[in-house]
Amino acid sequence: GGGGLAQGGASGAASAVGPAVVRRECRRENMRTGAVIVAAGHKSPTLFRPMMPVGDTTVIRRIIIILQQAGVDPVVVITGKQGDELEKHISKLQVICLRNDRYERTQMFDSICMGLQYLEGLCDRALVLPAKYPLLLTGTVNELLKSTAAAACPVCGGHRGHPVLIRGELIGKITGYDGPMGLRGALRQPEIDALMDEIPVEDEGIFWPAEGD
């Protein structure tokens, strides 16, 4: 969908940021990081990944717990399809649910923007990902959170994946984007792409979706 990331080679764009990127020295305790998880069911007439079983849990619950283990708060879940059922399913996980009632007529990027607009001003930066990558590792999220760049994403085997980390000052540039390719297009805007810190990880879970693709 339009909310995905470019599956191209790592561009090395972090070098454009210069010495401002000092990942290992980021004082995480001073940075509040929220998250937007899109679980609205855009373009999924049959397969609805958020509620799919993964071990003894589900895709959506596993992703939420991974983020919370890394200290991410608040976590905003954008619901739509099977919204009542999904919201009840995660009601004890201390997340914020926002309903996109127009999920059948809108794109994933619209749900992403809904969540980012909610988080703007509540936290210093936000992670963004769809509810489809349950094999994502907490360690990968921790590595992302060490970045001090205005934008960051994990890279494994030369391919970018999720989640994407966006600093608060870029949220307006993301939500104001009206070009093609949704989040991918928004992140490829030259003024954002030049700031992107590509974090190398050994985690295929950043682009390995729940069974069905």
Side-chain angles (χ1 to χ4, degrees):
L5 278 179
Q7 292 295 303
S11 66
S15 61
V17 182
V21 180
V22 187
R23 296 178 197 146
R24 301 298 177 260
E25 297 178 11
C26 179
R27 298 180 64 185
R28 287 177 53 183
E29 64 272 17
N30 294 332
M31 297 282 285
R32 187 176 189 190
T33 306
V36 177
I37 305 172
V38 179
H42 296 280
K43 298 182 178 178
S44 59
T46 54
L47 185 67
F48 185 56
R49 283 195 180 87
M51 298 292 285
M52 289 177 64
V54 177
D56 59 356
T57 185
T58 58
V59 170
I60 185 63
R61 288 179 65 93
R62 182 176 173 88
I63 291 172
I64 290 168
I65 290 168
I66 287 168
L67 295 175
Q68 291 177 335
Q69 285 175 341
V72 176
D73 180 69
V75 174
V76 175
V77 180
I78 310 299
T79 65
K81 183 176 182 178
Q82 298 180 28
D84 290 342
E85 179 186 0
L86 179 59
E87 288 168 19
K88 182 179 179 181
H89 178 65
I90 59 177
S91 62
K92 295 181 180 179
L93 292 181
Q94 297 181 310
V95 298
I96 297 161
C97 291
L98 301 180
R99 183 78 65 95
N100 180 357
D101 289 317
R102 301 180 65 247
Y103 71 92
E104 291 180 296
R105 302 183 298 280
T106 56
Q107 303 295 317
M108 183 187 294
F109 186 58
D110 297 302
S111 286
I112 290 170
C113 290
M114 178 186 294
L116 287 176
Q117 287 165 349
Y118 180 89
L119 286 178
E120 194 168 15
L122 288 182
C123 49
D124 300 294
R125 53 194 188 167
L127 292 164
V128 178
L129 71 163
K132 62 187 285 188
Y133 300 110
L135 302 182
L136 174 70
L137 300 175
T138 300
T140 293
V141 179
N142 286 329
E143 286 300 306
L144 271 176
L145 297 184
K146 292 177 184 177
S147 175
T148 58
C153 68
V155 175
C156 180
H159 297 283
R160 288 182 176 184
H162 288 87
V164 181
L165 182 66
I166 300 167
R167 285 276 286 268
E169 61 264 30
L170 290 185
I171 287 179
K173 290 184 180 293
I174 298 290
T175 59
Y177 176 74
D178 61 359
M181 297 193 299
L183 180 63
R184 182 188 307 179
L187 294 172
R188 288 298 188 185
Q189 294 177 94
E191 65 271 28
I192 296 178
D193 196 39
L195 301 174
M196 183 67 73
D197 187 11
E198 295 185 330
I199 311 294
V201 297
E202 293 297 325
D203 180 7
E204 292 185 349
I206 66 173
F207 46 66
W208 195 268
E211 185 179 331
D213 260 6

